[in-house]
Amino acid sequence: MDSQCSGPDAARFRAVLGHFPSGITAITSRDAQDRPVGMTVASFTSVSLAPPLVAFLPGKTSSTFPVIAERGTFCVNILATDQERICRALSVSGGDKFADVTWRPGPNRDPVVDGVVAWIGCTIEAVHEAGDHYIVIGRVDDLDADTTASPLLFFRSRYNHLTSA
C-alpha cells in the first residue's frame, strides 16, 4: 500500500492533532537584499543540550523557507500573548510582512521581534525531508528570554493564552 495514501485523511489528522497545544514561533531571517523575511511555525522543539540544537518543520510549499535556507541562519521568536497580529502578518504570503512589526538585529543580524517571550538565534546544521515538510535542525548561537511574558498558544485551531490558576 502507498504510504501517502494509508492512514487517516488529512482533515481528520489535522483535527485530532489540533488537540495538542503548541506555542507559536516566528522564524525570521534576511533575504539576499538584506530585507527581513519571516514565517510562523507551531512545530518547534528543542533537540539537544550538547550541542545546543533546536528544530522547526516548515512545509515544502513555503516560499519563505528557501530564502532562510539560502542564508543559512535564522532566529526563532516565541510569540507572546499580545502578538496575534504579528502571527497573522507573518503567516500571509507576499507583501511586506514586516511593515508593522518592530524588531532589532539579533545574532547573525536576523530579526528579533520586539516583545517576544524568548528568542533563539541559530545557524542551520541540517535539513531533512519528512513527508510534505522539512525538519530543520539549527545550532543555537545565542538566546534570551523575558521571564515576565506569557506565550501565545494554538489549540483546536484557535489562538489561546495561559491563565493563572
Side-chain angles (χ1 to χ4, degrees):
M1 180 181 275
D2 183 356
S3 64
Q4 291 181 329
C5 295
S6 64
D9 66 54
R12 182 169 178 231
F13 183 79
R14 179 177 286 194
V16 171
L17 271 73
H19 286 75
F20 180 72
S22 61
I24 302 172
T25 63
I27 306 296
T28 59
S29 190
R30 292 196 182 234
D31 67 12
Q33 290 75 40
D34 209 33
R35 296 177 300 216
V37 297
M39 60 192 288
T40 56
V41 175
S43 54
F44 167 77
T45 189
S46 61
V47 174
S48 170
L49 289 173
L53 300 173
V54 296
F56 73 97
L57 286 71
K60 287 185 177 178
T61 60
S62 169
S63 60
T64 303
F65 177 65
V67 176
I68 295 170
E70 183 177 321
R71 179 167 173 89
T73 63
F74 62 92
C75 187
V76 179
N77 294 267
I78 300 172
L79 298 180
T81 57
D82 61 348
Q83 294 183 312
E84 185 177 327
R85 177 187 57 78
I86 293 171
C87 178
R88 291 183 189 280
L90 296 180
S91 295
V92 298
S93 293
D96 182 1
K97 295 180 181 185
F98 283 83
D100 296 319
V101 177
T102 56
W103 58 276
R104 64 177 175 77
N108 308 308
R109 298 183 0 89
D110 297 324
V112 173
V113 176
D114 291 348
V116 294
V117 173
W119 59 264
I120 306 157
C122 302
T123 300
I124 294 177
E125 183 91 356
V127 178
H128 305 281
E129 290 194 31
D132 59 0
H133 281 68
Y134 295 108
I135 301 171
V136 181
I137 308 293
R139 181 181 289 264
V140 176
D141 299 318
D142 198 6
L143 69 170
D144 202 6
D146 175 352
T147 59
T148 64
S150 293
L152 180 62
L153 301 175
F154 201 67
F155 178 65
R156 293 184 184 163
S157 300
R158 293 192 171 137
Y159 295 104
N160 289 269
H161 312 275
L162 292 175
T163 56
S164 299

